[in-house]
Amino acid sequence: MKKELVLCVHKNQLNKSLTDIPDEGFALISREFVESPELGTTFVQAIGCLLLIREDHKVFSYSRKGSEGRLTGKKSILIGGHTTLEDLTGDYKIIEKGDDKDTLYKTNPVWTAVMKACQRELEEETGIETEGLAHLGKVLYTTADEVSSVHVGYCFGWIAPMDKEIVPSEETNNYEWLTKEEILADIDSYEVWSQMAIDMIRSKAENAPAT
């Protein structure tokens, strides 16, 4: 069976926004290999995460069903997934067993590939097609659980028109549009990255200029 190759980020780049990471900070590695003890803790898998907000400021929320089995049952406000070979353009080096682990993946520019992966996931999970997304600059990384410790998330956003039709996938067919207050009241039900994104929403709301 062919191994799935995904975009990964060197751990010494985790304190940087996606658009600030140099080419040498990325690698293309099989999902099986990047989580193996053989590679160690050098890289984590890069995930594009989309925050979908409607024009009335309500947030898209759903309960996870098993696309990532370790998070099944947790609520989420993020849509996203891995950046794969189909999203990438430019020159690249695939890291496999026996390869020089300092020979890294290069693409130009990487952040647009991560955005493309987000757009693909958005269409798969909601039926929404977009020409572009807003890069929010938020980095999601924590060692709080097994899943989070081997992934890093980069946040994008999109504002959905009130009349935009949602065609949910099996993963998101229990979706609902919630106010920020409703989400904050139930924050403990959300997976850890969503909790971090909720904190970002709360911080932006608290620091927004009075109208």
Side-chain angles (χ1 to χ4, degrees):
M1 183 175 66
K2 187 176 181 179
K3 295 179 180 178
E4 181 182 14
L5 300 171
V6 295
L7 185 70
C8 298
V9 178
H10 198 285
K11 278 196 170 181
N12 64 13
Q13 302 295 321
L14 294 181
N15 62 335
K16 296 180 181 178
S17 174
L18 178 62
T19 54
D20 294 331
I21 299 174
D23 291 339
E24 59 268 23
F26 296 97
L28 192 64
I29 312 174
S30 73
R31 291 181 65 175
E32 178 185 18
F33 187 36
V34 73
E35 293 192 30
S36 70
E38 185 174 355
L39 188 60
T41 57
T42 309
F43 294 94
V44 292
Q45 299 163 68
I47 304 292
C49 301
L50 177 70
L51 186 62
L52 183 60
I53 301 178
R54 207 165 59 181
E55 285 179 327
D56 61 358
H57 306 296
K58 288 189 175 182
V59 180
F60 186 89
S61 175
Y62 65 99
S63 294
R64 302 188 66 124
K65 292 185 176 180
S67 60
E68 170 49 82
R70 293 169 289 187
L71 298 177
T72 299
K74 291 284 188 178
K75 290 185 177 181
S76 180
I77 61 168
L78 299 170
I79 298 170
H82 293 85
T83 301
T84 63
L85 188 59
E86 67 184 89
D87 303 309
L88 300 165
T89 58
D91 302 323
Y92 60 85
K93 170 68 178 180
I94 297 172
I95 295 181
E96 295 179 332
K97 291 184 179 180
D99 281 359
D100 180 0
K101 296 181 179 61
D102 293 325
T103 304
L104 304 180
Y105 179 85
K106 180 179 179 181
T107 188
N108 184 33
V110 173
W111 77 267
T112 59
V114 179
M115 182 181 72
K116 181 180 177 183
C118 261
Q119 290 173 290
R120 185 186 69 248
E121 291 289 334
L122 177 63
E123 183 177 359
E124 290 176 0
E125 303 295 359
T126 69
I128 294 175
E129 296 183 44
T130 68
E131 294 184 359
L133 304 171
H135 178 229
L136 303 181
K138 177 70 174 178
V139 179
L140 304 175
Y141 181 72
T142 176
T143 57
D145 57 59
E146 180 185 0
V147 179
S148 301
S149 65
V150 294
H151 297 85
V152 57
Y154 299 101
C155 290
F156 293 81
W158 194 72
I159 303 297
M162 290 293 295
D163 60 353
K164 191 67 175 180
E165 180 184 5
I166 301 293
V167 183
S169 68
E170 183 178 350
E171 177 75 5
T172 60
N173 64 13
N174 56 16
Y175 81 91
E176 52 189 339
W177 293 102
L178 300 178
T179 65
K180 297 178 181 68
E181 291 75 20
E182 288 172 325
I183 291 173
L184 283 168
D186 196 28
I187 191 170
D188 290 339
S189 297
Y190 286 83
E191 42 92 7
V192 65
W193 276 11
S194 286
Q195 291 185 21
M196 296 168 72
I198 292 166
D199 284 338
M200 175 185 69
I201 294 172
R202 174 167 48 191
S203 177
K204 286 183 179 293
E206 290 174 351
N207 294 314
T211 57

